[in-house]
Each structure stands twice: as C-alpha cells, then as structure tokens.
Amino acid sequence: MTESLSLEHAQKLVLLSQRLPPGKPVGSPVAATLAAIEHLGYVQIDTISAVQRAHHHTLWNRNPRYGAAHLDQLVADKQVFEYWSHAAAYLPMRDYRFSLPRKHAIASGAQRHWYAPDAPLMQAVLKRITDEGPLMAKDFEHSGRKLGEWQTKPAKRALEYLFMMGELMLPRRVSFQKVYDLTERVLPAGIDTRLPTPEEHARFMITRYLHANGVGQAAEICYLQKNIKPHVTAALKDMVSSGEVVPVRVGKHTYYALPASLALLNKPLRRNRLSILSPFDNLLIQRKRMQALFDFDYLLECYVPAAKRQHGYFSLPILWGGALVARMDCKAERRAAVLHIHHLVLEPRLSKADEFTAALSEALSEFMVFNGCRTVRLHRCTPSRLSPALELALTSCRV
C-alpha cells in the first residue's frame, strides 16, 4: 500500500532524517561527530576553502561542538576511513565491506578509473611503501613532465590507482596531503572484509540512503554509482513486498521510505533555528532532488565564468523555517578575521523578513567563530531594499 505525504510533510521528513537543524548534543563532541558520520553514511571531502572546507562544514551543522581535529582523531582511531562514495568522502569504518564492490571492480578492470594502470610503476610504488612504511606523493621524486588535464605526476597516479583498487588506504593526512599505507596495516583488527553479494550491497545502499534522507527514489539511491541500478531496483521491489520499505506518494512523484522513518513525523522540527549550509552538504548534493522537493534551484558557480555568475563564487544555501530561503556568497578573510558576505540573495518565497534577519544574525555569530572571524561585512543584498536593515542587524555580529 502506498502512503501519501504532503510536500510539507515530505520536507519535514527529509530534514529530520538529515538532522537539520541538529538536536540537543549527546555524548562527547568526538562521539557526536562519529555518530553524525555513521548516520549520514558519508561526508564529502572538498578542497575549496573560501570558508571552512565542506567536510568540516557539513559536520559542524550536525554537531555544533564540532572541531576540525575530530576527523583526524577518528581516522587515527580507525573508526572512519577515506574512500569514494559518489565522490571522495569520509566513511564509517563499520561500513568498510561495502566499499569493496567498487575496489574489486576497479582492480579487475570491470570499472574504469580516471587513469590507465601502469603495472610496473604501481608495483614499484607498492614495494617502497611495503619496505619503508607510509609515504606521500612528494616522497616519490619526479623530474619529468606531469600528465593530463590535472598535471599529475606518474607516481601520484599510481598511488591513487592503488588506493582506489583497495591496495592502499590513508592512515592520516599531513597539511591536507594524503599519506598512503598498505591496507592490511590500516584496517582495524576484526573488521569484516567479506565481499558483499550484489543483493547485499543493493539492500545496504537502500537502507543507508533512506535512513539518512527520509524519502528517496532508485535514481537518487544510485547517484553517481556505476552498475548498481538494476540490483537496487530489484531489491526495492523485494523490500516493498516484505514490508521493509514503503512506497510514498508526494504530489506526482513516488518515493520510498523506511517504516520507522515515517514515525519521525511525530517529532517537532526546529524551524526557528537557521542553518548556513555547505554546497556539498548531504542534504543538497543532488540538485534535481532539491528542486523537486524544496523548489530550490541551486548551481555552484565557482565553476562558472565570473561574468556569468548570478549569485557568486561560493554561495551557501540557507535553511530556515523548514525551507531553503536564501543563499549567501561568503569568503573568510582569515588574516583580517573578517567574514565577507559578497552577495546575500533572498528567495521570493521568504516572508517575515525581520524574523529571518534576527535568525541570520544569531547564526552568523556562530558561523564567524567556526571560520575564525571576528567581524562581518555585507557587500550586496538582493533585493536591495532589505540591505540597510540587514546591515544594521549584522553590525551586532562581532565575536
């Protein structure tokens, strides 16, 4: 039997499942960070540093006590590891075996990697790490030309290929640069390394996605994952028949949900708390989904030529009142401890401008601390008629 949800209830279910805004903190700060990663299933890594990098930003929005050292500690404690989800990510170590299908596919040649394998070089790189211990790309000298669009030296390509096929893991990073070691020396004792069957993998993907996202479709569950959609589609059919998954109708679209997730609708949503989100936040990463469920048309414009940008280089979506109501192009000028808001754009649907301004001011004070800033400067606001009121409110945002 298909359940029916209003769009508002579907949005509420998504946000509660994503733990946005966050609830009251439980346990130690580091334990709360691990709980967030295990709940979300992954946290995407990104190098853009206009504000705190995406992996830190996403976790801070689930754990207000988050510290950037938490990830290093969790990796060192072998509770979290780096690999690939739909992109480079931190993943819970308890889910390690479900990273194996991609690794085996790359190792066997069934799935293409970005680089062609150079077997002799890969063997030489692997031998050095075996003999010498953990190494970084810079430990492999290279005086020749670099290769490809990203100008990568051959040893770096070999390291990444070995990493993607599962021969190497990352026990740590140093100044955000990867350190590589043999997988057998990084994995914790007793970890399950059995290769899941295609059905096991599909069921895991379904359950993990729906637990973290409330509702989902097969294409969303398989987002940027290769060769798994037929298995996910078949598993969804079986899980609906067994009652493990429930079809949910939202407007003209059919989604799927876990029965336990629907009980979340009995809980309140913290609508008065405003969240400044990363463009790579788990909530937002599938843009078509956000347009369908939240009527939020978002494009990350750092890849768009400056002259063609509408909202700014690194525009941060703003969640308030259970809706995505604004976006804010920010840059943290860390030496001067100034958070620059180059362009604040309010969605036409936004009402209660005074209440929004108060909520934004409160959230910005916390966001400034998170980014090591003491003052904030608003350069531009759309619509411009709100700019004086916002500028006046933001003058109180000093830490």
Side-chain angles (χ1 to χ4, degrees), residues 37-119:
I37 297 169
E38 290 183 338
H39 176 77
L40 293 171
Y42 77 92
V43 173
Q44 184 172 340
I45 301 169
D46 197 74
T47 59
I48 296 173
S49 57
V51 293
Q52 273 279 25
R53 287 190 172 103
H55 38 289
H56 298 309
H57 192 167
T58 296
L59 288 168
W60 174 77
N61 264 311
R62 273 74 179 181
N63 175 18
R65 300 175 295 161
Y66 175 77
H70 289 186
L71 280 170
D72 291 339
Q73 181 176 337
L74 290 171
V75 171
D77 292 344
K78 301 186 178 185
Q79 293 179 297
V80 165
F81 72 104
E82 284 193 43
Y83 192 61
W84 205 260
S85 179
H86 71 275
Y90 288 100
L91 302 162
M93 187 64 79
R94 70 180 188 184
D95 295 341
Y96 174 78
R97 70 185 293 244
F98 295 102
S99 71
L100 295 176
R102 182 191 293 267
K103 292 173 179 175
H104 281 241
I106 291 173
S108 68
Q111 184 170 324
R112 291 185 60 187
H113 186 45
W114 306 289
Y115 315 132
D118 183 334

Coordinates of all heavy atoms in Angstrom, one line a residue, residues 37-119:
I37 N 28.6 11.0 11.2 CA 29.1 10.3 10.0 C 28.5 8.9 9.8 O 28.1 8.6 8.7 CB 30.7 10.1 10.1 CG1 31.3 11.5 10.2 CG2 31.2 9.3 9.0 CD1 32.8 11.4 10.6
E38 N 28.3 8.2 10.9 CA 27.6 6.9 10.8 C 26.2 7.0 10.4 O 25.6 6.2 9.6 CB 27.7 6.1 12.1 CG 29.2 5.7 12.4 CD 29.3 4.9 13.7 OE1 28.4 5.0 14.6 OE2 30.3 4.2 13.8
H39 N 25.5 8.1 10.8 CA 24.1 8.3 10.5 C 24.0 8.7 9.0 O 23.2 8.2 8.2 CB 23.5 9.4 11.3 CG 22.1 9.7 10.9 ND1 21.0 8.9 11.2 CD2 21.5 10.7 10.2 CE1 19.9 9.4 10.7 NE2 20.2 10.5 10.1
L40 N 24.8 9.7 8.6 CA 24.7 10.1 7.2 C 25.3 9.1 6.2 O 24.8 9.1 5.0 CB 25.6 11.4 7.0 CG 25.0 12.7 7.8 CD1 26.0 13.8 7.7 CD2 23.7 13.1 7.2
G41 N 26.2 8.3 6.6 CA 26.7 7.3 5.7 C 28.0 7.7 5.0 O 28.8 6.9 4.7
Y42 N 28.2 9.0 4.8 CA 29.4 9.5 4.2 C 29.4 11.0 4.5 O 28.3 11.6 4.7 CB 29.5 9.3 2.7 CG 28.6 10.2 1.9 CD1 29.1 11.4 1.4 CD2 27.2 9.9 1.7 CE1 28.2 12.2 0.7 CE2 26.4 10.7 1.0 CZ 26.9 11.9 0.5 OH 26.1 12.8 -0.2
V43 N 30.5 11.7 4.4 CA 30.7 13.1 4.4 C 31.7 13.5 3.3 O 32.8 13.0 3.3 CB 31.1 13.7 5.8 CG1 31.4 15.2 5.7 CG2 30.1 13.4 6.8
Q44 N 31.2 14.2 2.3 CA 32.0 14.5 1.2 C 33.2 15.4 1.5 O 33.1 16.4 2.3 CB 31.2 15.2 0.1 CG 32.0 15.5 -1.2 CD 31.1 16.0 -2.4 OE1 29.9 15.8 -2.4 NE2 31.8 16.6 -3.4
I45 N 34.4 15.1 0.9 CA 35.6 15.9 1.1 C 35.7 16.9 -0.1 O 35.5 16.5 -1.2 CB 36.8 15.0 1.2 CG1 36.7 14.0 2.3 CG2 38.1 15.8 1.3 CD1 37.8 12.9 2.3
D46 N 36.0 18.1 0.2 CA 36.3 19.1 -0.9 C 37.4 20.0 -0.5 O 37.7 20.3 0.7 CB 35.1 19.9 -1.2 CG 35.2 20.5 -2.6 OD1 35.1 19.8 -3.6 OD2 35.4 21.7 -2.7
T47 N 38.1 20.5 -1.5 CA 39.3 21.3 -1.3 C 39.1 22.8 -1.2 O 39.9 23.6 -0.8 CB 40.4 21.0 -2.4 OG1 39.8 21.4 -3.6 CG2 40.8 19.6 -2.4
I48 N 37.9 23.3 -1.7 CA 37.6 24.7 -1.7 C 37.6 25.2 -0.3 O 36.9 24.7 0.6 CB 36.3 25.0 -2.4 CG1 36.4 24.6 -3.9 CG2 36.0 26.5 -2.3 CD1 35.1 24.7 -4.7
S49 N 38.3 26.3 -0.1 CA 38.5 26.9 1.3 C 38.0 28.3 1.4 O 38.6 29.1 2.2 CB 39.9 26.7 1.8 OG 40.8 27.4 0.9
A50 N 37.0 28.7 0.6 CA 36.5 30.1 0.8 C 36.0 30.3 2.2 O 36.2 31.4 2.8 CB 35.4 30.3 -0.2
V51 N 35.4 29.3 2.7 CA 35.0 29.2 4.2 C 35.6 27.8 4.6 O 36.2 27.1 3.8 CB 33.5 29.3 4.4 CG1 33.1 30.7 4.1 CG2 32.7 28.3 3.6
Q52 N 35.3 27.4 5.8 CA 35.8 26.1 6.2 C 35.4 25.0 5.2 O 34.3 25.0 4.7 CB 35.2 25.7 7.6 CG 36.0 26.2 8.8 CD 37.1 25.3 9.1 OE1 37.7 24.6 8.3 NE2 37.6 25.4 10.4
R53 N 36.3 24.1 5.0 CA 36.1 23.1 3.9 C 34.8 22.3 4.2 O 34.4 22.1 5.3 CB 37.3 22.2 3.8 CG 38.5 22.8 3.2 CD 39.6 21.8 2.9 NE 40.7 22.4 2.1 CZ 41.9 22.8 2.6 NH1 42.1 22.6 3.9 NH2 42.8 23.3 1.8
A54 N 34.3 21.7 3.1 CA 33.0 21.1 3.1 C 32.8 20.0 4.2 O 31.7 20.0 4.8 CB 32.6 20.6 1.7
H55 N 33.8 19.2 4.4 CA 33.6 18.1 5.3 C 33.5 18.6 6.7 O 32.7 18.1 7.5 CB 34.8 17.1 5.2 CG 36.1 17.7 4.9 ND1 36.5 18.3 3.7 CD2 37.2 17.8 5.7 CE1 37.7 18.7 3.8 NE2 38.2 18.5 5.0
H56 N 34.3 19.7 7.1 CA 34.1 20.3 8.4 C 32.8 21.0 8.5 O 32.1 20.9 9.5 CB 35.3 21.3 8.6 CG 36.6 20.7 8.6 ND1 37.0 19.6 9.4 CD2 37.8 21.0 7.9 CE1 38.2 19.3 9.2 NE2 38.7 20.1 8.3
H57 N 32.4 21.7 7.5 CA 31.2 22.5 7.5 C 29.9 21.6 7.6 O 29.0 21.9 8.5 CB 31.1 23.3 6.1 CG 30.1 24.3 6.1 ND1 30.0 25.3 5.1 CD2 29.0 24.6 6.9 CE1 29.0 26.1 5.4 NE2 28.3 25.7 6.4
T58 N 29.9 20.5 6.9 CA 28.8 19.6 7.0 C 28.6 19.0 8.4 O 27.5 18.9 8.9 CB 28.9 18.4 5.9 OG1 28.9 19.0 4.6 CG2 27.8 17.4 6.1
L59 N 29.8 18.6 9.0 CA 29.7 18.0 10.3 C 29.4 19.1 11.4 O 28.7 18.8 12.3 CB 31.0 17.3 10.6 CG 31.3 16.0 9.8 CD1 32.7 15.6 10.0 CD2 30.3 14.9 10.3
W60 N 29.9 20.3 11.2 CA 29.5 21.3 12.2 C 28.0 21.6 12.2 O 27.5 21.9 13.3 CB 30.3 22.6 11.8 CG 30.0 23.8 12.6 CD1 30.4 24.1 13.9 CD2 29.2 24.9 12.2 NE1 29.9 25.3 14.3 CE2 29.1 25.9 13.2 CE3 28.5 25.2 11.0 CZ2 28.4 27.1 13.1 CZ3 27.8 26.4 10.9 CH2 27.8 27.3 12.0
N61 N 27.4 21.5 11.1 CA 25.9 21.7 11.0 C 25.2 20.6 11.7 O 24.0 20.8 12.1 CB 25.5 21.8 9.6 CG 25.4 23.3 9.2 OD1 24.8 24.1 9.9 ND2 26.0 23.6 8.0
R62 N 25.7 19.4 11.9 CA 25.1 18.4 12.7 C 25.5 18.3 14.2 O 24.9 17.8 15.0 CB 25.4 17.0 12.1 CG 24.4 16.6 11.0 CD 24.6 17.3 9.7 NE 23.7 16.9 8.6 CZ 23.8 17.5 7.4 NH1 24.8 18.4 7.2 NH2 23.0 17.2 6.5
N63 N 26.7 18.9 14.4 CA 27.3 18.8 15.7 C 27.9 20.2 16.0 O 29.1 20.5 15.7 CB 28.4 17.7 15.8 CG 29.1 17.7 17.1 OD1 28.7 18.2 18.1 ND2 30.3 17.1 17.1
P64 N 27.2 21.1 16.7 CA 27.7 22.4 17.0 C 29.0 22.5 17.8 O 29.7 23.5 17.8 CB 26.5 23.1 17.7 CG 25.3 22.3 17.3 CD 25.8 20.9 17.1
R65 N 29.3 21.4 18.4 CA 30.5 21.3 19.2 C 31.7 20.7 18.4 O 32.8 20.4 18.9 CB 30.3 20.4 20.5 CG 29.2 20.9 21.4 CD 29.0 19.9 22.6 NE 28.5 18.7 22.1 CZ 28.5 17.5 22.7 NH1 29.1 17.5 23.9 NH2 28.0 16.4 22.2
Y66 N 31.5 20.6 17.1 CA 32.5 20.0 16.2 C 33.8 20.8 16.2 O 33.8 22.0 16.2 CB 31.9 19.9 14.8 CG 32.9 19.4 13.8 CD1 33.2 18.1 13.7 CD2 33.6 20.3 12.9 CE1 34.2 17.6 12.8 CE2 34.5 19.9 12.0 CZ 34.8 18.5 12.0 OH 35.8 18.0 11.1
G67 N 34.9 20.1 16.1 CA 36.2 20.7 16.0 C 36.9 20.0 14.8 O 36.8 18.8 14.6
A68 N 37.7 20.8 14.1 CA 38.4 20.2 12.9 C 39.3 19.0 13.2 O 39.6 18.2 12.3 CB 39.2 21.4 12.2
A69 N 39.8 18.9 14.4 CA 40.7 17.8 14.8 C 39.9 16.5 14.9 O 40.5 15.4 15.0 CB 41.4 18.1 16.1
H70 N 38.6 16.6 15.0 CA 37.8 15.3 15.2 C 38.0 14.3 14.1 O 38.2 13.1 14.4 CB 36.3 15.7 15.3 CG 35.9 16.4 16.5 ND1 34.5 16.7 16.8 CD2 36.6 17.0 17.5 CE1 34.5 17.4 17.9 NE2 35.7 17.5 18.4
L71 N 38.0 14.8 12.9 CA 38.2 13.8 11.8 C 39.6 13.1 11.9 O 39.7 11.9 11.7 CB 38.0 14.5 10.4 CG 36.6 14.7 10.0 CD1 36.5 15.6 8.8 CD2 35.9 13.4 9.7
D72 N 40.6 13.9 12.1 CA 42.0 13.3 12.3 C 42.0 12.2 13.4 O 42.5 11.2 13.2 CB 43.0 14.4 12.6 CG 43.2 15.3 11.4 OD1 42.9 14.9 10.3 OD2 43.7 16.4 11.6
Q73 N 41.3 12.5 14.5 CA 41.3 11.6 15.6 C 40.5 10.3 15.2 O 40.9 9.2 15.5 CB 40.6 12.3 16.8 CG 40.6 11.3 18.1 CD 40.0 12.0 19.3 OE1 40.1 13.2 19.4 NE2 39.5 11.2 20.2
L74 N 39.4 10.5 14.6 CA 38.5 9.3 14.2 C 39.2 8.5 13.2 O 39.1 7.2 13.2 CB 37.2 9.8 13.7 CG 36.3 10.4 14.7 CD1 35.0 11.1 14.1 CD2 35.8 9.4 15.7
V75 N 40.0 9.1 12.2 CA 40.8 8.3 11.3 C 41.9 7.6 12.0 O 42.2 6.4 11.8 CB 41.4 9.2 10.2 CG1 42.4 8.4 9.3 CG2 40.3 9.7 9.3
A76 N 42.6 8.3 12.9 CA 43.7 7.6 13.7 C 43.2 6.5 14.6 O 43.8 5.5 14.8 CB 44.4 8.7 14.6
D77 N 41.9 6.7 15.1 CA 41.3 5.6 15.9 C 40.7 4.5 15.1 O 40.1 3.6 15.7 CB 40.3 6.2 16.8 CG 40.9 7.1 17.9 OD1 42.1 7.1 18.1 OD2 40.1 7.9 18.5
K78 N 40.8 4.6 13.8 CA 40.3 3.6 12.9 C 38.8 3.4 13.0 O 38.2 2.3 12.8 CB 41.0 2.3 13.1 CG 42.5 2.4 12.8 CD 43.2 1.0 12.9 CE 44.7 1.2 12.6 NZ 45.4 -0.1 12.5
Q79 N 38.1 4.5 13.2 CA 36.6 4.5 13.3 C 36.0 5.1 12.0 O 34.8 4.9 11.7 CB 36.1 5.2 14.5 CG 36.5 4.6 15.8 CD 36.0 5.3 17.0 OE1 36.4 6.5 17.3 NE2 35.1 4.7 17.8
V80 N 36.8 5.8 11.2 CA 36.4 6.4 10.0 C 37.6 6.2 9.0 O 38.7 6.1 9.4 CB 36.2 7.9 10.2 CG1 36.1 8.7 8.9 CG2 34.9 8.1 11.0
F81 N 37.2 6.1 7.7 CA 38.3 5.9 6.7 C 37.9 6.7 5.5 O 36.7 7.1 5.3 CB 38.5 4.5 6.3 CG 37.4 3.8 5.5 CD1 37.5 3.6 4.1 CD2 36.2 3.4 6.1 CE1 36.5 3.0 3.4 CE2 35.2 2.8 5.4 CZ 35.3 2.6 4.0
E82 N 38.9 7.0 4.6 CA 38.6 7.8 3.4 C 38.5 6.8 2.2 O 39.3 5.9 2.1 CB 39.8 8.7 3.1 CG 39.8 10.0 3.9 CD 40.7 11.0 3.4 OE1 40.7 11.2 2.1 OE2 41.5 11.6 4.1
Y83 N 37.5 7.0 1.4 CA 37.3 6.3 0.2 C 36.3 7.1 -0.7 O 36.2 8.3 -0.5 CB 36.9 4.8 0.3 CG 37.1 4.1 -1.0 CD1 38.4 4.0 -1.6 CD2 36.0 3.5 -1.6 CE1 38.5 3.3 -2.8 CE2 36.2 2.8 -2.8 CZ 37.4 2.7 -3.4 OH 37.6 2.1 -4.6
W84 N 35.6 6.4 -1.5 CA 34.8 7.1 -2.5 C 33.3 6.7 -2.2 O 33.0 5.5 -2.1 CB 35.2 6.6 -3.9 CG 34.8 7.5 -5.0 CD1 33.7 7.4 -5.8 CD2 35.5 8.7 -5.4 NE1 33.7 8.5 -6.7 CE2 34.7 9.3 -6.5 CE3 36.6 9.4 -5.0 CZ2 35.2 10.5 -7.1 CZ3 37.0 10.5 -5.6 CH2 36.3 11.1 -6.7
S85 N 32.5 7.7 -2.1 CA 31.0 7.4 -2.1 C 30.5 7.8 -3.5 O 30.8 7.1 -4.5 CB 30.4 8.3 -1.0 OG 29.0 8.0 -1.0
H86 N 29.8 8.9 -3.7 CA 29.6 9.4 -5.0 C 30.8 10.3 -5.4 O 31.0 10.7 -6.6 CB 28.3 10.2 -5.1 CG 28.4 11.5 -4.4 ND1 28.1 11.6 -3.1 CD2 28.7 12.7 -4.9 CE1 28.3 12.9 -2.7 NE2 28.7 13.6 -3.8
A87 N 31.6 10.7 -4.4 CA 32.8 11.5 -4.5 C 33.7 11.1 -3.4 O 33.4 10.3 -2.5 CB 32.4 13.0 -4.5
A88 N 34.9 11.7 -3.3 CA 35.8 11.5 -2.2 C 35.1 11.8 -0.9 O 34.4 12.8 -0.8 CB 37.1 12.3 -2.4
A89 N 35.2 10.9 0.1 CA 34.4 11.1 1.3 C 35.1 10.4 2.5 O 36.0 9.5 2.4 CB 33.0 10.5 1.1
Y90 N 34.6 10.8 3.7 CA 34.9 10.1 4.9 C 33.7 9.1 5.1 O 32.6 9.5 5.0 CB 35.0 11.0 6.1 CG 36.3 11.8 6.1 CD1 36.3 13.2 5.7 CD2 37.5 11.3 6.6 CE1 37.5 13.9 5.7 CE2 38.7 12.0 6.6 CZ 38.6 13.3 6.2 OH 39.8 14.1 6.2
L91 N 34.0 7.9 5.4 CA 33.0 6.8 5.6 C 33.2 6.1 6.9 O 34.3 6.1 7.5 CB 33.2 5.8 4.5 CG 33.1 6.3 3.0 CD1 33.7 5.3 2.1 CD2 31.7 6.6 2.7
P92 N 32.1 5.6 7.5 CA 32.3 4.9 8.8 C 33.0 3.6 8.5 O 32.7 2.8 7.6 CB 30.8 4.6 9.2 CG 30.0 5.5 8.3 CD 30.7 5.7 7.0
M93 N 34.0 3.3 9.4 CA 34.7 2.0 9.3 C 33.8 0.8 9.4 O 34.1 -0.2 8.8 CB 35.8 2.0 10.3 CG 36.8 0.8 10.2 SD 37.8 0.8 8.6 CE 39.0 2.0 9.1
R94 N 32.7 0.9 10.1 CA 31.8 -0.2 10.3 C 31.2 -0.6 8.9 O 30.7 -1.7 8.8 CB 30.7 0.1 11.3 CG 29.7 1.1 10.8 CD 28.6 1.4 11.8 NE 27.5 2.2 11.3 CZ 26.5 2.7 12.0 NH1 26.4 2.4 13.3 NH2 25.6 3.4 11.5
D95 N 31.2 0.3 7.9 CA 30.7 0.0 6.6 C 31.7 -0.4 5.6 O 31.5 -0.4 4.4 CB 29.9 1.2 6.1 CG 28.7 1.6 6.9 OD1 28.2 0.7 7.6 OD2 28.2 2.7 6.8
Y96 N 32.9 -0.7 6.1 CA 34.1 -0.9 5.2 C 33.8 -1.9 4.1 O 34.1 -1.7 2.9 CB 35.3 -1.4 6.0 CG 36.5 -1.8 5.1 CD1 37.3 -0.8 4.5 CD2 36.7 -3.1 4.8 CE1 38.3 -1.1 3.7 CE2 37.8 -3.4 4.0 CZ 38.6 -2.5 3.4 OH 39.6 -2.8 2.6
R97 N 33.2 -3.1 4.4 CA 33.0 -4.1 3.4 C 32.2 -3.6 2.2 O 32.3 -4.2 1.1 CB 32.4 -5.4 4.1 CG 30.9 -5.2 4.5 CD 30.5 -6.5 5.2 NE 30.4 -7.7 4.3 CZ 29.3 -8.3 4.0 NH1 28.1 -8.0 4.5 NH2 29.3 -9.3 3.2
F98 N 31.4 -2.6 2.4 CA 30.5 -2.1 1.3 C 31.3 -1.2 0.4 O 30.7 -0.7 -0.6 CB 29.2 -1.5 1.9 CG 28.4 -2.5 2.5 CD1 28.3 -2.6 3.9 CD2 27.7 -3.4 1.8 CE1 27.6 -3.6 4.6 CE2 26.9 -4.4 2.4 CZ 26.8 -4.5 3.8
S99 N 32.6 -0.9 0.7 CA 33.4 -0.2 -0.2 C 34.1 -1.2 -1.2 O 34.7 -0.8 -2.2 CB 34.5 0.6 0.5 OG 35.5 -0.2 1.1
L100 N 34.0 -2.5 -0.9 CA 34.7 -3.5 -1.6 C 34.2 -3.7 -3.0 O 35.0 -4.0 -3.9 CB 34.8 -4.8 -0.9 CG 35.5 -4.8 0.5 CD1 35.4 -6.1 1.2 CD2 37.0 -4.4 0.3
P101 N 32.9 -3.6 -3.3 CA 32.5 -3.8 -4.7 C 33.2 -2.9 -5.7 O 33.6 -3.3 -6.8 CB 31.0 -3.6 -4.7 CG 30.6 -4.1 -3.3 CD 31.8 -3.6 -2.4
R102 N 33.3 -1.6 -5.4 CA 33.9 -0.7 -6.3 C 35.4 -1.0 -6.4 O 36.0 -1.0 -7.5 CB 33.8 0.8 -5.8 CG 34.4 1.8 -6.7 CD 34.5 3.2 -6.1 NE 33.2 3.8 -5.9 CZ 32.6 4.6 -6.7 NH1 33.2 4.9 -7.9 NH2 31.4 5.1 -6.5
K103 N 36.1 -1.4 -5.3 CA 37.5 -1.7 -5.3 C 37.8 -2.9 -6.2 O 38.7 -2.9 -7.0 CB 38.0 -1.9 -3.9 CG 38.0 -0.7 -3.0 CD 38.4 -1.0 -1.6 CE 38.4 0.3 -0.8 NZ 38.6 0.1 0.7
H104 N 36.9 -3.9 -6.0 CA 37.1 -5.1 -6.8 C 36.8 -4.9 -8.3 O 37.5 -5.4 -9.2 CB 36.2 -6.2 -6.3 CG 36.7 -6.9 -5.1 ND1 37.0 -8.3 -5.0 CD2 37.0 -6.4 -3.8 CE1 37.5 -8.6 -3.8 NE2 37.5 -7.5 -3.1
A105 N 35.9 -4.0 -8.6 CA 35.5 -3.7 -10.0 C 36.7 -3.0 -10.6 O 37.0 -3.2 -11.8 CB 34.3 -2.9 -10.0
I106 N 37.3 -2.1 -9.9 CA 38.5 -1.3 -10.5 C 39.7 -2.2 -10.6 O 40.4 -2.2 -11.6 CB 38.8 -0.1 -9.6 CG1 37.7 0.9 -9.7 CG2 40.1 0.5 -10.0 CD1 37.8 2.1 -8.8
A107 N 39.9 -3.1 -9.6 CA 41.1 -4.0 -9.6 C 40.9 -5.0 -10.8 O 42.0 -5.3 -11.4 CB 41.2 -4.7 -8.3
S108 N 39.7 -5.4 -11.1 CA 39.5 -6.4 -12.1 C 39.4 -5.8 -13.5 O 39.4 -6.5 -14.5 CB 38.2 -7.2 -11.9 OG 37.1 -6.4 -12.0
G109 N 39.3 -4.5 -13.6 CA 39.1 -3.8 -14.9 C 37.7 -3.7 -15.3 O 37.4 -3.2 -16.4
A110 N 36.8 -4.2 -14.5 CA 35.3 -4.1 -14.8 C 34.8 -2.7 -14.8 O 33.8 -2.4 -15.4 CB 34.5 -5.0 -13.9
Q111 N 35.5 -1.9 -14.0 CA 35.1 -0.5 -13.9 C 36.3 0.4 -14.2 O 37.4 0.1 -13.7 CB 34.6 -0.1 -12.5 CG 34.1 1.3 -12.3 CD 33.4 1.5 -11.0 OE1 32.7 0.6 -10.5 NE2 33.5 2.7 -10.4
R112 N 36.2 1.4 -15.0 CA 37.3 2.2 -15.4 C 37.6 3.2 -14.3 O 36.8 3.7 -13.6 CB 36.9 3.0 -16.7 CG 36.8 2.2 -17.9 CD 36.6 3.0 -19.1 NE 37.7 4.0 -19.3 CZ 37.6 4.9 -20.3 NH1 36.6 5.1 -21.0 NH2 38.7 5.7 -20.4
H113 N 38.9 3.5 -14.2 CA 39.4 4.6 -13.3 C 39.8 5.7 -14.2 O 39.7 5.6 -15.4 CB 40.6 4.0 -12.5 CG 41.2 5.0 -11.5 ND1 40.3 5.6 -10.6 CD2 42.4 5.4 -11.2 CE1 41.1 6.4 -9.8 NE2 42.3 6.3 -10.2
W114 N 40.1 6.9 -13.6 CA 40.4 8.1 -14.4 C 41.7 7.8 -15.2 O 41.9 8.4 -16.2 CB 40.6 9.3 -13.5 CG 39.5 9.5 -12.6 CD1 38.2 10.0 -13.0 CD2 39.4 9.3 -11.2 NE1 37.4 10.1 -11.9 CE2 38.1 9.7 -10.8 CE3 40.3 8.9 -10.2 CZ2 37.7 9.6 -9.4 CZ3 40.0 8.8 -8.9 CH2 38.7 9.2 -8.5
Y115 N 42.6 7.1 -14.6 CA 43.9 6.9 -15.2 C 44.1 5.4 -15.7 O 43.5 4.5 -15.1 CB 45.1 7.1 -14.2 CG 44.9 8.3 -13.3 CD1 45.1 8.3 -11.9 CD2 44.6 9.6 -13.9 CE1 45.0 9.4 -11.2 CE2 44.5 10.7 -13.1 CZ 44.7 10.6 -11.7 OH 44.5 11.7 -11.0
A116 N 44.9 5.3 -16.8 CA 45.2 3.9 -17.2 C 46.2 3.3 -16.2 O 47.1 4.0 -15.8 CB 45.8 4.0 -18.6
P117 N 46.1 2.1 -15.9 CA 47.1 1.5 -14.9 C 48.4 1.3 -15.5 O 48.6 0.9 -16.7 CB 46.4 0.1 -14.6 CG 45.6 -0.2 -15.8 CD 45.1 1.1 -16.3
D118 N 49.5 1.6 -14.7 CA 50.9 1.4 -15.1 C 51.4 0.4 -14.1 O 51.9 0.7 -13.1 CB 51.6 2.7 -15.0 CG 53.1 2.6 -15.4 OD1 53.6 1.5 -15.4 OD2 53.7 3.7 -15.8
A119 N 51.2 -0.9 -14.5 CA 51.5 -2.0 -13.6 C 52.9 -2.0 -13.1 O 53.1 -2.2 -11.8 CB 51.2 -3.3 -14.3

